[in-house]
Amino acid sequence: MEDDERPRLGCRLNYVRKLPGMLKLVQLACSFIAIILVAVAPTLTYSGNKGFFLFVSIVAISITTILLLMALINLQAVFIPERWSLIELCWCAFIALFYFIAGIVIATATNGNALYGAAACFGFAACIAYIVDFINRIRLRRAEEASENTETTVTKTTTTTTVTRQQPVY
């Protein structure tokens, strides 16, 4: 591979205008709002419901921020381009499952407190955003595999038309 063909580090701000970038921003926003809502909610019991939800939200926001920054500076295309889609696919599935569990945990611990209910709502919204990202990653991965397996053949067809004129008979 020549140096001109290799991907380079650089700022790709147009990434946030595409579907994966927009999904990452939605995931970050939902996680951030959920963290704020749970953090300001009063501790109702000592069962750890609030702590588990905070843990899942903070891990999600931390790793999603790192993945977003890596995509913005094109770091994944430089170091691990062949495995990157699988890494993000597994991350989306993993955190969607944990957000679903954490959303159920915090929703059952509301005891009439609206802050916990709102946090559960944003937790489920983040879960849905990660599921949509997971589905998009599967779609992109299948498209990559299909394009690798498809052979492109180019056939060139030329048509020659010969025009002959008949001489008039006198």
Side-chain angles (χ1 to χ4, degrees):
M1 189 183 276
E2 295 178 18
D3 289 336
D4 295 337
E5 296 177 10
R6 287 187 11 213
R8 297 191 178 176
L9 291 178
C11 188
R12 295 186 322 148
L13 290 179
N14 61 347
Y15 177 77
V16 294
R17 292 186 190 128
K18 297 178 183 173
L19 182 62
M22 285 189 260
L23 285 172
K24 288 226 182 314
L25 292 177
V26 169
Q27 294 162 359
L28 287 172
C30 289
S31 297
F32 187 69
I33 293 170
I35 286 173
I36 291 173
L37 289 171
V38 168
V40 298
T43 304
L44 299 175
T45 61
Y46 295 104
S47 63
N49 299 340
K50 181 178 177 179
F52 178 68
F53 189 85
L54 275 172
F55 171 75
V56 170
S57 297
I58 290 171
V59 167
I61 204 167
S62 301
I63 295 182
T64 303
T65 302
I66 291 169
L67 293 175
L68 178 65
L69 291 175
M70 287 178 74
L72 282 174
I73 61 173
N74 205 24
L75 195 60
Q76 78 278 7
V78 173
F79 293 113
I80 47 173
E82 62 277 349
R83 301 242 188 248
W84 188 254
S85 61
L86 181 64
I87 291 169
E88 289 223 21
L89 183 97
C90 292
W91 165 248
C92 289
F94 172 78
I95 201 64
L97 175 68
F98 271 88
Y99 249 126
F100 183 72
I101 293 169
I104 291 172
V105 166
I106 205 69
T108 58
T110 59
N111 291 338
N113 191 329
L115 290 174
Y116 283 111
C121 177
F122 279 102
F124 286 125
C127 176
I128 291 170
Y130 280 106
I131 290 171
V132 170
D133 198 7
F134 175 76
I135 292 169
N136 184 45
R137 298 281 170 192
I138 289 176
R139 186 183 60 82
L140 291 175
R141 191 161 169 84
R142 285 185 182 164
E144 286 175 7
E145 289 173 359
S147 68
E148 289 174 359
N149 295 336
T150 305
E151 291 184 21
T152 57
T153 55
V154 177
T155 58
K156 186 175 181 181
T157 305
T158 58
T159 306
T160 306
T161 307
T162 308
V163 177
T164 57
R165 296 182 123 191
Q166 289 183 344
Q167 295 296 328
V169 178
Y170 296 108

